[in-house]
Amino acid sequence: GGIITQTPKFLIGQEGQKLTLKCQQNFNHDTMYWYRQDSGKGLRLIYYSITENDLQKGDLSEGYDASREKKSSFSLTVTSAQKNEMAVFLCASSTGNERLFFGHGTKLSVL
Amino acid sequence: AQSVTQPDARVTVSEGASLQLRCKYSSSGTPYLFWYVQYPRQGLQLLLKYYSGDPVVQGVNGFEAEFSKSNSSFHLRKASVHWSDSAVYFCVLSLTGNTGKLIFGLGTTLQVQP
């Protein structure tokens, strides 16, 4: 079996700060995703990537950048953290058959 | 427009009781439907999926779901719940072949009381 590792588990930032979240997978999956999970709002897609160096915007891409320099890793950058922002960012990967494997998440708090 | 509605934000049942979590979807094309579960402090995991064929699909841990095209529904069921089933359950819609464009419902938090 494989695993998806997200780092860090917890991230505390300051308003206006640029923050980077990392995700590694050893499934050898082609497609990777970043979702944002807010309480009461379900999961919303920020970015996804179908192969190395590919990036596709999701519904919530504004305010974020992403990078897929290797097949196994997919990073997400919050370009300017918003005050009092609190959310969980979930990374996932798949072979493209719609079954997603998720990481445990990075919990972001902005002071 | 495509959408998924889980009308119950929270459901509480007693251990050993039967369970139904409701899901309604709206889709202009052929839907692929999934139920994912998020246990406390764990990542989301796939419970079951429906692509076509038999409208009743079996999943892990005794869960099943029934697809109804006429009702645009994909309700999740379990005959007898256990305390360990306490989690958040998400109904998810995917359009055929459109990887990445999964539409999540808001989730239903299930609390199983001893």
Side-chain angles (χ1 to χ4, degrees), chain B residues 87-108:
Chain B
V88 183
Y89 293 79
F90 292 94
C91 183
V92 182
L93 167 69
S94 171
L95 299 181
T96 307
N98 201 357
T99 301
K101 293 294 186 179
L102 297 182
I103 300 167
F104 282 75
L106 297 185
T108 296

Side-chain angles (χ1 to χ4, degrees), chain A residues 1-74:
Chain A
I3 190 169
I4 294 185
T5 303
Q6 291 187 237
T7 55
K9 287 192 169 105
F10 300 95
L11 183 56
I12 298 175
Q14 302 287 333
E15 184 181 10
Q17 193 176 1
K18 181 190 267 191
L19 302 167
T20 298
L21 293 69
K22 294 185 183 299
C23 177
Q24 296 269 346
Q25 55 101 356
N26 63 359
F27 288 99
N28 199 35
H29 286 163
D30 289 317
T31 309
M32 295 186 74
Y33 312 79
W34 276 107
Y35 285 90
R36 176 177 165 133
Q37 183 175 20
D38 293 274
S39 178
K41 291 188 180 178
L43 274 70
R44 292 179 287 175
L45 181 64
I46 305 173
Y47 269 98
Y48 70 104
S49 166
I50 62 174
T51 190
E52 187 177 321
N53 293 318
D54 174 75
L55 290 175
Q56 309 280 342
K57 290 184 178 181
D59 298 323
L60 204 67
S61 61
E62 190 168 335
Y64 301 94
D65 287 327
S67 174
R68 183 97 183 268
E69 294 176 353
K70 293 190 301 184
K71 185 176 182 179
S72 62
S73 67
F74 193 30

Side-chain angles (χ1 to χ4, degrees), chain B:
Chain B
Q2 281 66 236
S3 67
V4 175
T5 301
Q6 293 180 248
D8 304 308
R10 180 176 287 271
V11 170
T12 301
V13 297
S14 298
E15 192 166 24
S18 63
L19 171 72
Q20 176 172 279
L21 300 182
R22 296 182 291 163
C23 172
K24 299 275 283 185
Y25 71 91
S26 173
S27 171
S28 56
T30 303
Y32 287 176
L33 291 157
F34 308 80
W35 277 96
Y36 280 83
V37 59
Q38 187 175 33
Y39 295 107
R41 295 173 295 282
Q42 294 188 33
L44 278 84
Q45 302 166 34
L46 181 68
L47 265 184
L48 47 78
K49 62 186 178 185
Y50 173 80
Y51 287 169
S52 64
D54 188 337
V56 178
V57 290
Q58 303 296 322
V60 297
N61 297 334
F63 284 94
E64 67 175 28
E66 183 166 6
F67 169 73
S68 171
K69 187 174 181 180
S70 60
N71 293 325
S72 298
S73 67
F74 189 56
H75 300 331
L76 181 70
R77 303 190 297 237
K78 186 169 183 178
S80 176
V81 296
H82 186 264
W83 65 267
S84 60
D85 292 324
S86 297
V88 183
Y89 293 79
F90 292 94
C91 183
V92 182
L93 167 69
S94 171
L95 299 181
T96 307
N98 201 357
T99 301
K101 293 294 186 179
L102 297 182
I103 300 167
F104 282 75
L106 297 185
T108 296
T109 299
L110 173 66
Q111 185 172 359
V112 180
Q113 293 183 331

